[in-house]
Amino acid sequence: HVQLVESGGGSVQAGGSLRLSCAASEYTYTPYCLAWFRQAPGREREGVASIETDGTTNYADAVKGRFSISEDHAKYTLYLQMNSLEPGDTAMYYCATEPGTCGPPGWWKLPSLYNSWGQGTQVTVS
């Protein structure tokens, strides 16, 4: 499995911004699907955004227009730019990857699709 390490989390006030990073040990396969998930206490892990090899992106309705996913393939790094943060965005954020595409519409939101996960980075919005 690919080793993933997230960073960039922290505490911000509502309306603020954060940029999360996810460093991968390597991209051992093509195509691939990269994604950000989040999990708040007492809630299920939910998909936030995904990006595929061809640049196709997907976003959860709750973050559309506020969050942006991107990657730097040369640096094996995935990013999540989060703007206009809200208290409801408070959660542990995880990056994940799996070999292959993100699948049919909506599949990218399924945690079971992914075989590599990072340890998470906490985002707190007050």
Side-chain angles (χ1 to χ4, degrees), residues 47-48 59-66 108-109:
V48 175
Y59 294 93
D61 289 343
V63 306
K64 281 181 181 177
R66 300 189 298 122
W108 69 271
K109 298 180 182 179

Side-chain angles (χ1 to χ4, degrees), residues 4 6 35-49 60 91-97 108-121:
L4 301 171
E6 300 96 336
W36 287 98
F37 283 77
R38 66 186 182 186
Q39 188 168 19
R43 300 187 65 176
E44 293 186 354
R45 190 167 296 192
E46 63 174 354
V48 175
M92 185 73 78
Y93 283 71
Y94 301 88
C95 61
T97 185
W108 69 271
K109 298 180 182 179
L110 300 174
S112 59
L113 184 68
Y114 302 86
N115 66 354
S116 296
W117 292 84
Q119 83 291 346
T121 185

Side-chain angles (χ1 to χ4, degrees), residues 58-125:
N58 294 284
Y59 294 93
D61 289 343
V63 306
K64 281 181 181 177
R66 300 189 298 122
F67 290 12
S68 178
I69 189 171
S70 62
E71 62 149 343
D72 185 331
H73 189 76
K75 296 182 179 179
Y76 298 154
T77 302
L78 177 70
Y79 302 100
L80 184 69
Q81 178 67 43
M82 305 186 296
N83 300 325
S84 302
L85 283 162
E86 304 169 352
D89 296 318
T90 295
M92 185 73 78
Y93 283 71
Y94 301 88
C95 61
T97 185
E98 68 102 15
T101 69
C102 293
W107 278 39
W108 69 271
K109 298 180 182 179
L110 300 174
S112 59
L113 184 68
Y114 302 86
N115 66 354
S116 296
W117 292 84
Q119 83 291 346
T121 185
Q122 179 67 38
V123 172
T124 303
V125 184

